[in-house]
Amino acid sequence: MHRFEYRGRELTCEDVPLSAIAKKVGTPFYLYSIGTFLDHYLKLKEAFKAANPLICFSVKANSNLTVLKALVKHGAGLDIVSGGELFRAKKVGVDPQKVVFASVGKSEAEIEAAIRARILMFNVESVQELDVINAVACRLKKTQKVAIRLNPDVQPHTHHYITTGSRENKFGLSLETAYKLFMESYRYPFLRFAGVHIHIGSQITDARPFVKAIKRVLKFVDSVRFGGNPVEYFNIGGGLGIIYSKEKPQTAKEFAAAILPLFKDHDLKHGLRIILEPGRFISGNSGILVTRVLYEKSSDSKSFLIVDAGMNDLIRPAFYGAHHEILPVWKVRGKSRRHSVDVVGPICESGDFLAKDRTLPVVGVGDLLAVMSCGAYGFVMSSNYNSRLRIPEVVVKGKRFFTARRRESFRDLIRNEKIVSEVI
Ligand code: LLP
């Protein structure tokens, strides 16, 4: 459930009408319902209560500082993938022992910064990375926990750009390689092989691929424990799907009911702690993008609504062919006329669209549209393409709204540039 709904004719976020925000901050803008973020996080926490898991929100999905702080304040940890995300994690004061660091390409500088910050563990993706972490930990005279990311080779049936747990992906290590590493963990005196990690893909609506992968990896855990390695953590990654249109994803409760029984023996006998890294499940439906119609254009065969948000603001439709519902901020009175349109942005690319051949109520120039389910992989994937300014992120709690990130200025746009006179 999310907190964007019509009250009377107008779409609201929690208790705030959208037009009031548009009037204050201009368009386009991202809008987040903090109540929805917390609700989704707490639902997952409640569903997994029996296992007392560590829930690390995946910062890559939405890295807004206010959002992160709100989740952290309610007990969430963070899943990070870069020095920049570590910087954000530190800024919001998360307990570093609730931070896990994934990524196939961590640089030595990032590794050093994370060890210095005393993060809980790295999710390690290659043998060479283990050598680097060991060497840095040795130099810093620290012991560092690591989890080995395993590639369980399952097909999660989602968009091929966001499957990550099958053999042909670049992620993780095969069970055979990982087994060898665990058996030779003595070769890494500054590392503690504390866990295993999987992440099989994103927007997975069905628990079965998770179950399959977890079963496989639990067998692996048993075998390395048998070999004398205490494995304390099983990080089951993120990937829980949400409703964009007609999907029927598992609920947090259903997911937990499918997953928790698999851990029963391990949990009770040996204390294997579960870690989750949800991004989209918490943030996807907690945010929207609000845009204004600039122009309408029709030919014999096609109608276009040209809006002020483009693919630089929301790249998911262009990049993944992703579907986002589009709602008029003001519901059209009575039985509205509907027609098929392409909702497109101002960018000089044919791929610049938010929706194609979408049946929408007839709206006019100046009207506001809400592009739904944009709280995950929305703003974070935005860019300055076409020298467009990145747009504000506005947060709502109850009756109040605040700008959590202001609209960029032209000055911001050229902040790191100079005209190099020597070459002119
Ligand atoms: N953990 C790891 C190791 C990941 O790679 C990801 C996402 C997550 C957790 C969080 O996954 P989630 O719960 O959000 O599915 N830009 C794409 C999604 C890319 C996902 C990358 N990895 C999109 O817009 O659909």
Side-chain angles (χ1 to χ4, degrees):
M1 273 301 284
H2 60 69
R3 310 269 304 269
F4 299 93
E5 58 181 9
Y6 286 103
R7 296 207 184 147
R9 278 184 59 217
E10 186 173 3
L11 195 60
T12 58
C13 174
E14 303 197 14
D15 300 322
V16 184
L18 262 54
S19 61
I21 306 174
K23 195 165 167 199
K24 181 91 187 279
V25 303
T27 56
F29 60 92
Y30 275 98
L31 180 61
Y32 305 138
S33 154
I34 295 297
T36 310
F37 269 98
L38 294 179
D39 182 46
H40 291 167
Y41 164 67
L42 294 173
K43 275 207 174 103
L44 208 51
K45 192 170 168 179
E46 177 62 25
F48 276 85
K49 195 168 69 184
N52 183 30
L54 174 59
I55 302 180
C56 295
F57 175 65
S58 201
V59 175
K60 66 172 82 65
N62 189 315
S63 60
N64 182 276
L65 291 177
T66 305
V67 164
L68 297 182
K69 184 81 188 181
L71 291 168
V72 163
K73 200 173 144 205
H74 283 78
L78 298 175
D79 156 41
I80 61 168
V81 289
S82 69
E85 289 190 356
L86 175 65
F87 178 73
R88 286 179 181 274
K90 290 205 284 197
K91 268 272 178 267
V92 299
V94 65
D95 173 356
Q97 286 298 300
K98 289 185 175 177
V99 174
V100 293
F101 192 155
S103 153
V104 288
K106 303 170 191 83
S107 71
E108 200 171 318
E110 288 175 324
I111 289 168
E112 175 167 342
I115 295 178
R116 282 188 191 282
R118 298 179 190 282
I119 64 157
L120 177 63
M121 70 176 91
F122 290 98
N123 296 329
V124 175
E125 308 242 10
S126 68
V127 180
Q128 287 176 354
E129 185 192 329
L130 270 181
D131 291 328
V132 176
I133 301 175
N134 188 60
V136 177
C138 167
R139 177 156 50 77
L140 300 177
K141 299 191 178 56
K142 296 249 165 61
T143 308
Q144 177 62 54
K145 280 189 188 140
V146 293
I148 302 298
R149 179 166 180 180
L150 300 168
N151 188 328
D153 196 24
V154 295
Q155 276 301 340
H157 305 296
T158 181
H159 193 287
H160 64 282
Y161 273 20
I162 49 178
T163 66
T164 44
S166 64
R167 247 179 228 284
E168 60 265 30
N169 299 125
K170 66 179 175 182
F171 300 98
L173 289 162
S174 70
L175 298 188
E176 301 79 56
T177 311
Y179 184 79
K180 235 176 112 209
L181 286 173
F182 268 97
M183 292 307 130
E184 292 175 0
S185 56
Y186 59 85
R187 291 180 43 211
Y188 305 92
F190 293 89
L191 304 184
R192 228 169 81 212
F193 284 54
V196 289
H197 173 234
I198 54 171
H199 172 77
I200 56 174
S202 200
Q203 182 55 13
I204 305 167
T205 50
D206 172 8
R208 277 171 297 187
F210 288 101
V211 170
K212 200 165 164 188
I214 290 170
K215 275 188 177 160
R216 238 171 234 182
V217 174
L218 278 174
K219 273 201 194 128
F220 174 87
V221 169
D222 284 340
S223 65
V224 294
R225 276 181 163 176
F226 190 69
N229 287 278
V231 181
E232 304 161 57
Y233 297 92
F234 190 140
N235 184 334
I236 64 173
L240 286 162
I242 62 162
I243 303 175
Y244 283 99
S245 150
K246 294 195 171 63
E247 298 89 343
K248 292 206 169 56
Q250 70 254 297
T251 62
K253 253 193 184 158
E254 288 161 356
F255 184 61
I259 302 303
L260 285 181
L262 307 176
F263 281 91
K264 229 169 178 170
D265 292 341
H266 299 79
D267 222 355
L268 298 179
K269 281 197 234 143
H270 312 285
L272 188 62
R273 188 155 193 222
I274 298 174
I275 302 178
L276 293 109
E277 299 173 338
R280 192 189 316 263
F281 180 83
I282 291 174
S283 59
N285 282 318
S286 305
I288 64 172
L289 167 66
V290 180
T291 183
R292 196 182 286 281
V293 178
L294 295 176
Y295 303 104
E296 300 165 77
K297 189 159 104 168
S298 297
S299 66
D300 292 346
S301 56
K302 228 146 169 109
S303 291
F304 296 96
L305 279 180
I306 301 162
V307 298
D308 61 3
M311 67 189 283
N312 72 302
D313 302 306
L314 178 70
I315 201 171
R316 299 194 74 257
F319 200 34
Y320 308 113
H323 176 101
H324 288 264
E325 286 296 308
I326 297 186
L327 300 176
V329 166
W330 288 94
K331 236 196 229 170
V332 184
R333 262 188 228 281
K335 253 204 148 40
S336 70
R337 228 168 24 89
R338 298 172 76 84
H339 65 161
S340 173
V341 288
D342 283 8
V343 182
V344 302
I347 288 188
C348 310
E349 299 237 11
S350 299
D352 179 26
F353 59 88
L354 301 179
K356 275 216 176 241
D357 298 321
R358 186 70 61 84
T359 307
L360 289 181
V362 176
V363 292
V365 170
D367 285 345
L368 294 171
L369 296 175
V371 186
M372 305 303 288
S373 313
C374 288
Y377 309 107
F379 181 85
V380 287
M381 293 181 80
S382 67
S383 76
N384 291 118
Y385 188 38
N386 276 207
S387 282
R388 285 165 54 82
L389 305 177
R390 271 182 303 173
I391 66 181
E393 293 175 288
V394 178
V395 290
V396 168
K397 185 80 186 285
K399 291 188 172 60
R400 305 199 298 165
F401 68 93
F402 305 89
T403 300
R405 190 186 204 276
R406 64 166 173 76
R407 192 181 303 283
E408 286 181 345
S409 64
F410 291 135
R411 196 178 282 274
D412 292 329
L413 202 59
I414 56 165
R415 191 174 51 206
N416 300 318
E417 258 178 87
K418 63 178 182 181
I419 296 172
V420 182
S421 50
E422 289 86 338
V423 299
I424 297 163

